[in-house]
Amino acid sequence: MAQFLGMNSQVWLIGGTSESVAIAQALAKLNIPLVITVTTASAQALYTALCKNVSTAIKVIVGSMNPLAMQSFCQQQQIKIVIDASHPYAATVSRQAIALTTQLGIPYLRYERASHHTSSGEPDSSQVIELSSFTELLAGDYLDAHRVLLTVGCQALSQFQPWHSKATLFARVLPKIKSLETAIAAGFTGDRLIAIRPPISLAMETALWQQWQISLVVTKASGKAGGEDLKRQVAASLGIPLIVIARPQIVYPRQTSEIWEIVAFCRQC
């Protein structure tokens, strides 16, 4: 298989999502050397099998970087192409990567997982409320007197702290010590927390909402891969309002939701 980059140059894949693993697999088949960055050890583990089963040079690095660290990283790793497959809500990472690649003249491509699109055969979505941000949500009275399930990630939970006295708040987080500590610091007690790793089945999602007698659910516009479609389905079946927080608005120089376009981009560059 042809080597598309120079001997020491690499593609930087900003990863950590399930889609980024599929992207890494596709590029590894072309023998393209990859350096993948993730923010947690659990995200690093997603690539373990891939690293064992391919001959391509793949490095997975754990940690966060500020703009200066990113610049040094690109120089040290001889980065020639950046594929940004970070989480849809990791806006800071994407904005920093865009600024850096523009400054250094490095080709950049954003992989943006497909958004939810309503189809004619879909359950009634009249219960779905789409808001632009958490700020819009918390400035209104959407949560008032409700039993609310928050499936928004642990980092957003601190914003809901003032609402513990106005609503009954529950949260679902990842089964990690740091996630639980963050939730507890945001005022959630053990009986208002469930720690579970996605994907979550339709039956389990439905049972959880019923067990806690949930009357309102808040989630992110994470697309099918993030469980948004399934939550819409459960909301429709149970008649429970679902608030969906839109993704951060970022102007990407170039983006795609197709892995084959990433492969073509690397070939061109």
Side-chain angles (χ1 to χ4, degrees), residues 214-236:
I214 297 301
S215 61
L216 177 71
V217 177
V218 181
T219 192
K220 294 177 178 179
S222 53
K224 185 175 182 179
E228 179 191 349
D229 290 15
L230 185 142
K231 291 167 195 167
R232 286 174 177 262
Q233 185 178 346
V234 176

PDB file of all heavy atoms in Angstrom, residues 214-236:
ATOM      1  N   ILE A 214     -39.832  10.636  35.855  1.00  0.00           N
ATOM      2  CA  ILE A 214     -39.324  11.834  35.180  1.00  0.00           C
ATOM      3  C   ILE A 214     -40.447  12.526  34.412  1.00  0.00           C
ATOM      4  O   ILE A 214     -41.240  11.878  33.728  1.00  0.00           O
ATOM      5  CB  ILE A 214     -38.174  11.456  34.228  1.00  0.00           C
ATOM      6  CG1 ILE A 214     -36.988  10.873  35.010  1.00  0.00           C
ATOM      7  CG2 ILE A 214     -37.743  12.664  33.391  1.00  0.00           C
ATOM      8  CD1 ILE A 214     -36.395  11.788  36.053  1.00  0.00           C
ATOM      9  N   SER A 215     -40.489  13.853  34.508  1.00  0.00           N
ATOM     10  CA  SER A 215     -41.492  14.620  33.761  1.00  0.00           C
ATOM     11  C   SER A 215     -40.871  15.533  32.703  1.00  0.00           C
ATOM     12  O   SER A 215     -41.581  16.152  31.916  1.00  0.00           O
ATOM     13  CB  SER A 215     -42.333  15.470  34.717  1.00  0.00           C
ATOM     14  OG  SER A 215     -41.521  16.399  35.425  1.00  0.00           O
ATOM     15  N   LEU A 216     -39.522  15.599  32.671  1.00  0.00           N
ATOM     16  CA  LEU A 216     -38.816  16.421  31.687  1.00  0.00           C
ATOM     17  C   LEU A 216     -37.388  15.905  31.560  1.00  0.00           C
ATOM     18  O   LEU A 216     -36.753  15.578  32.565  1.00  0.00           O
ATOM     19  CB  LEU A 216     -38.797  17.893  32.125  1.00  0.00           C
ATOM     20  CG  LEU A 216     -38.035  18.878  31.231  1.00  0.00           C
ATOM     21  CD1 LEU A 216     -38.780  19.095  29.923  1.00  0.00           C
ATOM     22  CD2 LEU A 216     -37.838  20.214  31.950  1.00  0.00           C
ATOM     23  N   VAL A 217     -36.879  15.830  30.336  1.00  0.00           N
ATOM     24  CA  VAL A 217     -35.508  15.367  30.093  1.00  0.00           C
ATOM     25  C   VAL A 217     -34.754  16.436  29.321  1.00  0.00           C
ATOM     26  O   VAL A 217     -35.302  17.057  28.400  1.00  0.00           O
ATOM     27  CB  VAL A 217     -35.500  14.038  29.306  1.00  0.00           C
ATOM     28  CG1 VAL A 217     -34.063  13.603  28.994  1.00  0.00           C
ATOM     29  CG2 VAL A 217     -36.225  12.947  30.097  1.00  0.00           C
ATOM     30  N   VAL A 218     -33.501  16.657  29.704  1.00  0.00           N
ATOM     31  CA  VAL A 218     -32.628  17.604  28.997  1.00  0.00           C
ATOM     32  C   VAL A 218     -31.461  16.829  28.424  1.00  0.00           C
ATOM     33  O   VAL A 218     -30.797  16.061  29.141  1.00  0.00           O
ATOM     34  CB  VAL A 218     -32.110  18.719  29.926  1.00  0.00           C
ATOM     35  CG1 VAL A 218     -31.229  19.692  29.150  1.00  0.00           C
ATOM     36  CG2 VAL A 218     -33.274  19.459  30.573  1.00  0.00           C
ATOM     37  N   THR A 219     -31.182  17.014  27.148  1.00  0.00           N
ATOM     38  CA  THR A 219     -30.069  16.333  26.497  1.00  0.00           C
ATOM     39  C   THR A 219     -29.403  17.282  25.513  1.00  0.00           C
ATOM     40  O   THR A 219     -29.816  18.430  25.342  1.00  0.00           O
ATOM     41  CB  THR A 219     -30.557  15.050  25.786  1.00  0.00           C
ATOM     42  OG1 THR A 219     -29.422  14.269  25.394  1.00  0.00           O
ATOM     43  CG2 THR A 219     -31.391  15.384  24.548  1.00  0.00           C
ATOM     44  N   LYS A 220     -28.362  16.804  24.866  1.00  0.00           N
ATOM     45  CA  LYS A 220     -27.660  17.577  23.845  1.00  0.00           C
ATOM     46  C   LYS A 220     -28.018  17.051  22.459  1.00  0.00           C
ATOM     47  O   LYS A 220     -28.434  15.899  22.311  1.00  0.00           O
ATOM     48  CB  LYS A 220     -26.145  17.473  24.047  1.00  0.00           C
ATOM     49  CG  LYS A 220     -25.619  18.107  25.316  1.00  0.00           C
ATOM     50  CD  LYS A 220     -24.123  17.869  25.417  1.00  0.00           C
ATOM     51  CE  LYS A 220     -23.510  18.525  26.636  1.00  0.00           C
ATOM     52  NZ  LYS A 220     -22.053  18.255  26.742  1.00  0.00           N
ATOM     53  N   ALA A 221     -27.806  17.883  21.461  1.00  0.00           N
ATOM     54  CA  ALA A 221     -28.037  17.483  20.074  1.00  0.00           C
ATOM     55  C   ALA A 221     -26.841  16.651  19.608  1.00  0.00           C
ATOM     56  O   ALA A 221     -26.050  17.071  18.766  1.00  0.00           O
ATOM     57  CB  ALA A 221     -28.236  18.706  19.184  1.00  0.00           C
ATOM     58  N   SER A 222     -26.732  15.461  20.163  1.00  0.00           N
ATOM     59  CA  SER A 222     -25.555  14.616  19.935  1.00  0.00           C
ATOM     60  C   SER A 222     -25.712  13.653  18.776  1.00  0.00           C
ATOM     61  O   SER A 222     -24.810  12.880  18.480  1.00  0.00           O
ATOM     62  CB  SER A 222     -25.250  13.824  21.213  1.00  0.00           C
ATOM     63  OG  SER A 222     -26.403  13.130  21.644  1.00  0.00           O
ATOM     64  N   GLY A 223     -26.858  13.690  18.097  1.00  0.00           N
ATOM     65  CA  GLY A 223     -27.064  12.803  16.964  1.00  0.00           C
ATOM     66  C   GLY A 223     -27.307  11.369  17.398  1.00  0.00           C
ATOM     67  O   GLY A 223     -27.366  11.048  18.588  1.00  0.00           O
ATOM     68  N   LYS A 224     -27.426  10.499  16.419  1.00  0.00           N
ATOM     69  CA  LYS A 224     -27.718   9.089  16.700  1.00  0.00           C
ATOM     70  C   LYS A 224     -26.636   8.452  17.549  1.00  0.00           C
ATOM     71  O   LYS A 224     -26.913   7.684  18.482  1.00  0.00           O
ATOM     72  CB  LYS A 224     -27.882   8.326  15.389  1.00  0.00           C
ATOM     73  CG  LYS A 224     -28.303   6.875  15.568  1.00  0.00           C
ATOM     74  CD  LYS A 224     -28.570   6.205  14.235  1.00  0.00           C
ATOM     75  CE  LYS A 224     -29.028   4.769  14.429  1.00  0.00           C
ATOM     76  NZ  LYS A 224     -29.310   4.112  13.122  1.00  0.00           N
ATOM     77  N   ALA A 225     -25.364   8.762  17.243  1.00  0.00           N
ATOM     78  CA  ALA A 225     -24.250   8.155  17.975  1.00  0.00           C
ATOM     79  C   ALA A 225     -24.273   8.521  19.452  1.00  0.00           C
ATOM     80  O   ALA A 225     -23.797   7.763  20.293  1.00  0.00           O
ATOM     81  CB  ALA A 225     -22.919   8.575  17.350  1.00  0.00           C
ATOM     82  N   GLY A 226     -24.824   9.682  19.773  1.00  0.00           N
ATOM     83  CA  GLY A 226     -24.883  10.117  21.162  1.00  0.00           C
ATOM     84  C   GLY A 226     -26.183   9.766  21.859  1.00  0.00           C
ATOM     85  O   GLY A 226     -26.418  10.193  22.990  1.00  0.00           O
ATOM     86  N   GLY A 227     -27.051   9.002  21.181  1.00  0.00           N
ATOM     87  CA  GLY A 227     -28.292   8.562  21.803  1.00  0.00           C
ATOM     88  C   GLY A 227     -29.450   9.528  21.681  1.00  0.00           C
ATOM     89  O   GLY A 227     -30.515   9.301  22.267  1.00  0.00           O
ATOM     90  N   GLU A 228     -29.280  10.600  20.916  1.00  0.00           N
ATOM     91  CA  GLU A 228     -30.352  11.590  20.805  1.00  0.00           C
ATOM     92  C   GLU A 228     -31.606  10.990  20.173  1.00  0.00           C
ATOM     93  O   GLU A 228     -32.734  11.232  20.642  1.00  0.00           O
ATOM     94  CB  GLU A 228     -29.876  12.789  19.985  1.00  0.00           C
ATOM     95  CG  GLU A 228     -30.951  13.850  19.813  1.00  0.00           C
ATOM     96  CD  GLU A 228     -30.581  14.904  18.778  1.00  0.00           C
ATOM     97  OE1 GLU A 228     -29.417  14.943  18.341  1.00  0.00           O
ATOM     98  OE2 GLU A 228     -31.477  15.686  18.406  1.00  0.00           O
ATOM     99  N   ASP A 229     -31.439  10.221  19.106  1.00  0.00           N
ATOM    100  CA  ASP A 229     -32.589   9.649  18.419  1.00  0.00           C
ATOM    101  C   ASP A 229     -33.404   8.753  19.339  1.00  0.00           C
ATOM    102  O   ASP A 229     -34.636   8.768  19.333  1.00  0.00           O
ATOM    103  CB  ASP A 229     -32.126   8.851  17.188  1.00  0.00           C
ATOM    104  CG  ASP A 229     -31.590   9.744  16.081  1.00  0.00           C
ATOM    105  OD1 ASP A 229     -31.311  10.926  16.367  1.00  0.00           O
ATOM    106  OD2 ASP A 229     -31.453   9.267  14.946  1.00  0.00           O
ATOM    107  N   LEU A 230     -32.696   7.958  20.149  1.00  0.00           N
ATOM    108  CA  LEU A 230     -33.378   7.044  21.060  1.00  0.00           C
ATOM    109  C   LEU A 230     -34.163   7.830  22.116  1.00  0.00           C
ATOM    110  O   LEU A 230     -35.301   7.473  22.462  1.00  0.00           O
ATOM    111  CB  LEU A 230     -32.362   6.111  21.713  1.00  0.00           C
ATOM    112  CG  LEU A 230     -32.915   5.004  22.604  1.00  0.00           C
ATOM    113  CD1 LEU A 230     -32.112   3.718  22.423  1.00  0.00           C
ATOM    114  CD2 LEU A 230     -32.890   5.418  24.068  1.00  0.00           C
ATOM    115  N   LYS A 231     -33.591   8.900  22.618  1.00  0.00           N
ATOM    116  CA  LYS A 231     -34.290   9.714  23.614  1.00  0.00           C
ATOM    117  C   LYS A 231     -35.536  10.357  23.020  1.00  0.00           C
ATOM    118  O   LYS A 231     -36.571  10.481  23.696  1.00  0.00           O
ATOM    119  CB  LYS A 231     -33.345  10.774  24.178  1.00  0.00           C
ATOM    120  CG  LYS A 231     -32.233  10.200  25.040  1.00  0.00           C
ATOM    121  CD  LYS A 231     -31.170  11.235  25.308  1.00  0.00           C
ATOM    122  CE  LYS A 231     -29.906  10.582  25.849  1.00  0.00           C
ATOM    123  NZ  LYS A 231     -28.749  11.490  25.848  1.00  0.00           N
ATOM    124  N   ARG A 232     -35.453  10.771  21.774  1.00  0.00           N
ATOM    125  CA  ARG A 232     -36.628  11.323  21.102  1.00  0.00           C
ATOM    126  C   ARG A 232     -37.729  10.265  21.013  1.00  0.00           C
ATOM    127  O   ARG A 232     -38.919  10.566  21.182  1.00  0.00           O
ATOM    128  CB  ARG A 232     -36.254  11.830  19.709  1.00  0.00           C
ATOM    129  CG  ARG A 232     -35.465  13.147  19.698  1.00  0.00           C
ATOM    130  CD  ARG A 232     -35.015  13.507  18.295  1.00  0.00           C
ATOM    131  NE  ARG A 232     -34.318  14.790  18.234  1.00  0.00           N
ATOM    132  CZ  ARG A 232     -34.873  15.946  17.874  1.00  0.00           C
ATOM    133  NH1 ARG A 232     -36.152  15.981  17.510  1.00  0.00           N
ATOM    134  NH2 ARG A 232     -34.180  17.062  17.841  1.00  0.00           N
ATOM    135  N   GLN A 233     -37.309   9.046  20.752  1.00  0.00           N
ATOM    136  CA  GLN A 233     -38.278   7.951  20.640  1.00  0.00           C
ATOM    137  C   GLN A 233     -38.958   7.676  21.979  1.00  0.00           C
ATOM    138  O   GLN A 233     -40.176   7.505  22.053  1.00  0.00           O
ATOM    139  CB  GLN A 233     -37.570   6.690  20.133  1.00  0.00           C
ATOM    140  CG  GLN A 233     -38.486   5.522  19.862  1.00  0.00           C
ATOM    141  CD  GLN A 233     -37.732   4.317  19.319  1.00  0.00           C
ATOM    142  OE1 GLN A 233     -36.571   4.431  18.898  1.00  0.00           O
ATOM    143  NE2 GLN A 233     -38.375   3.167  19.321  1.00  0.00           N
ATOM    144  N   VAL A 234     -38.168   7.632  23.054  1.00  0.00           N
ATOM    145  CA  VAL A 234     -38.732   7.382  24.382  1.00  0.00           C
ATOM    146  C   VAL A 234     -39.639   8.541  24.804  1.00  0.00           C
ATOM    147  O   VAL A 234     -40.716   8.329  25.370  1.00  0.00           O
ATOM    148  CB  VAL A 234     -37.612   7.163  25.420  1.00  0.00           C
ATOM    149  CG1 VAL A 234     -38.198   6.991  26.814  1.00  0.00           C
ATOM    150  CG2 VAL A 234     -36.774   5.949  25.050  1.00  0.00           C
ATOM    151  N   ALA A 235     -39.219   9.766  24.533  1.00  0.00           N
ATOM    152  CA  ALA A 235     -40.028  10.933  24.883  1.00  0.00           C
ATOM    153  C   ALA A 235     -41.394  10.870  24.203  1.00  0.00           C
ATOM    154  O   ALA A 235     -42.428  11.155  24.822  1.00  0.00           O
ATOM    155  CB  ALA A 235     -39.296  12.214  24.494  1.00  0.00           C
ATOM    156  N   ALA A 236     -41.386  10.477  22.932  1.00  0.00           N
ATOM    157  CA  ALA A 236     -42.647  10.379  22.197  1.00  0.00           C
ATOM    158  C   ALA A 236     -43.530   9.270  22.756  1.00  0.00           C
ATOM    159  O   ALA A 236     -44.744   9.440  22.910  1.00  0.00           O
ATOM    160  CB  ALA A 236     -42.363  10.142  20.717  1.00  0.00           C
TER     161      ALA A 236
END
